[in-house]
Amino acid sequence: MTESLYPVPAEWARKALVDAERYRALYRESLDDPEGFWRREAQRIDWIRPFSRVDESSFHKADFAVRWFADGTLNLSANCLDRHLAERGDDPAIIWEPDDPAAEGRTLTYRELHRLTCRFANLLKANGVERGDRVTIYMPMVPEAAVAMLACARIGAIHSVVFGGFSPEALAGRIRDCDSRLVVTADEGLRGGKPVPLKANVDEALRDCPGVSRVIMFRRTGADVEMKEGRDIDWAAAMDAAPEDCPPVEMGAEDPLFILYTSGSTGKPKGVLHSSGGYAVWTSLTHQIVFDYRPGQIYWCAADIGWITGHSYIVYGPLANGATSLMFEGVPNWPDPSRIWQVVDKHQVEILYTAPTALRALMREGDQWVSRTSRKSLRLLGTVGEPINPEAWGWYHRVVGEGRSPVIDTWWQTETGGMMIAPLPGAIALKPGSATRPLFGVEPALLDAEGREIAGPGEGALVIKRSWPGQMRTVWGDHSRFFETYFTTFAGYYFSGDGCRRDADGDYWITGRIDDVINVSGHRLGTAEVESALVAHHSVAEAAVVGMPHEVKGQGIYAYVTVNAGLEPDAAMRAELISWVRKEIGPIATPDVIQFAPALPKTRSGKIMRRILRKIAEGELSSLGDTSTLADPSVVDQLIANRTLPV
Ligand code: WTA
């Protein structure tokens, strides 16, 4: 494989916060003297009571724990807001760019964001929310979403943000799992000119959530929505009545900050729980050094706040650093495929952080959409969420950045809280497709199938050998599932679920998930989730779902479905099942292919052989491997004969 190398430009080496020598020294220190390293780095956060203990984590069953700075206290909303007021209270905290380019945007200074957050925190309290209570946030990309998150953090309530693209069913499941009593939403969202019926979705979800007694609704579009007397509250009217003074609550470093549901290989999505002290240190540190962020720069993370990237790099990391964070309501290709670059020019964005899937989609539209814009303000280009193919990397670097800006590929996960492997722009030479080197305190290893560490170059399962401050603390309500999911595949290690290659230089190349998780347009989905949605349909007897390569989405969803006896599957049923899955989970889970199969390949003990299904979906028919252990090998020929192409 030929690999191009982009050495650190001289100017970056000279001016960046971390150059090559400093990276080496600090990385060494972070592993050799973690106590000293983190004691110092944690000073970037304002602690109310200083911590004396640093890392008390263990990945071993006997004394299993993930715990950092445990006796320290702080308030993360105060770190993101109050402490900036004296020096940069009038600086923009959030620049909001609405869906419609002709509509008026908003800029909220730190002072304004602080005021709104205090008011909203008081509103939550007035509606019975107490420290430790869960609040579900189902919002479009408006500053009020960040206000709601920060207000929870201010009073010690635990927020659970649910992506606005999830269906009422998916929302209801997430509300019930963490037992939220209050939901924050909007009348409608707006994406690409189309309304998203958020309030109607909440109303539908709440039919199955008897525990919810309050809904606070922000009016985004002014649509005519139903308001349920005694339950639903209008944001604007209630905010006017809420007092402005709301002192931040002193929280323990290990008190929960938020729950964020994410998909795994088995069962329903799990509530990943993050606490506040270590998370604050981790997101603020990584945001600063990976983006080489300096106050005053306009920074844009184009993720949705419904995902971890939005939590860590639209809200907490940048605001803890006093940054100006741009929040975009719309989509990259509306009204036309130059929208992202128009927004960059309009707001003079210097740092852009987006997903490979968006780049691949825009790349297909042709360079003219990019070249008609200036983009001179851009100085750093980041990516996250899925492996970036060298073509998309090259396009980002050459066409978007005109060779001037480093492309920073950041590998991390909902579970890791923040970036883990990424090239620091002043320190590490870039390789298209490689996330390169671990950040401070991150000790990755590659394991072979027997769980032995691979030394030097090689490929294996990506694990992390010791805790880092941003690590998730537990699965909400199921601590043993936390341990089982991440620390038992390879005893004593955190297992990421990803495969990875390390080259001769020591650079890391993520190869993708090696469990039953698929990554569709940068969105994580469990194949089991899609399967259980399918089998919930009255016509379906059995379903097996695997990923398939997809040019734009990275991976697509390929579903094998066996219908109930006596039914004749046809195009109408296919369409019906597709819309069923959209309704059960949301549009992101729309199957690309549904192949009706009279039978699925099973072992004699009845286990579905997914390896074979994956190969068929990938079109790799010549490398199906050993099929002799199947109960009925002829099933495979049938599947191949009926292989279905995406519609
Ligand atoms: C994948 C998103 C390759 C990976 C922050 C991981 C990546 C999953 C990269 C987590 C990258 C994320 N290169 N793969 N730079 N970043 N992934 O929890 O498979 O939504 O396990 O967190 O996305 O997805 P999640």
Side-chain angles (χ1 to χ4, degrees), residues 278-520:
Y279 178 79
V281 171
W282 192 248
T283 53
S284 135
L285 172 68
T286 50
H287 172 263
Q288 186 188 29
I289 63 173
V290 173
F291 295 133
D292 198 57
Y293 187 81
R294 316 301 169 94
Q297 293 179 341
I298 311 292
Y299 156 84
W300 178 15
C301 167
D304 191 284
I305 44 126
W307 311 113
I308 189 70
T309 308
H311 283 59
S312 301
Y313 297 111
I314 296 176
V315 181
Y316 290 114
L319 297 181
N321 290 340
T324 298
S325 184
L326 190 142
M327 188 181 215
F328 176 46
E329 183 181 32
V331 296
N333 56 359
W334 189 83
D336 67 48
S338 73
R339 184 68 193 279
I340 290 201
W341 325 119
Q342 308 267 3
V343 174
V344 165
D345 284 352
K346 177 174 171 189
H347 297 289
Q348 293 295 291
V349 171
E350 289 171 66
I351 300 164
L352 175 66
Y353 192 32
T354 189
T357 188
L359 299 172
R360 286 192 298 264
L362 295 174
M363 192 166 85
R364 288 216 310 193
E365 304 285 342
D367 297 357
Q368 72 276 14
W369 298 104
V370 186
S371 48
R372 67 172 59 163
T373 61
S374 157
R375 290 156 286 110
K376 287 281 181 288
S377 58
L378 286 174
R379 53 184 294 282
L380 187 145
L381 302 168
T383 83
V384 57
E386 45 175 330
I388 183 163
N389 47 315
E391 299 70 39
W393 195 103
W395 186 79
Y396 203 20
H397 188 259
R398 182 173 38 82
V399 178
V400 174
E402 294 173 355
R404 282 175 282 116
S405 308
V407 169
I408 304 298
D409 177 4
T410 65
W411 174 81
W412 58 292
Q413 312 179 292
T414 305
E415 293 88 339
T416 69
M419 302 163 185
M420 298 290 279
I421 302 182
L424 296 186
I428 310 285
L430 307 173
K431 291 176 185 171
S434 169
T436 72
R437 303 296 170 92
L439 298 177
F440 303 140
V442 175
E443 192 180 10
L446 304 182
L447 304 186
D448 65 17
E450 276 74 53
R452 289 178 305 233
E453 281 189 34
I454 298 166
E459 185 167 337
L462 176 62
V463 298
I464 311 291
K465 293 177 73 169
R466 60 168 90 183
S467 186
W468 62 97
Q471 187 171 21
M472 73 181 279
R473 298 311 200 244
T474 190
V475 171
W476 175 259
D478 199 347
H479 197 56
S480 61
R481 187 172 175 201
F482 178 44
F483 183 75
E484 297 297 322
T485 305
Y486 301 101
F487 304 93
T488 56
T489 316
F490 303 105
Y493 298 92
Y494 166 79
F495 175 42
S496 65
D498 280 313
C500 183
R501 179 168 73 82
R502 187 171 46 220
D503 67 20
D505 300 328
D507 286 316
Y508 289 84
W509 301 70
I510 311 297
T511 54
R513 300 290 302 203
I514 49 177
D515 54 7
D516 289 318
V517 170
I518 50 181
N519 196 322
V520 182

Side-chain angles (χ1 to χ4, degrees), residues 102 177-178 202-203 397 471 499 531 535 546:
D177 184 79
C178 68
V202 169
D203 289 341
H397 188 259
Q471 187 171 21
E531 287 164 6
V535 296
V546 296

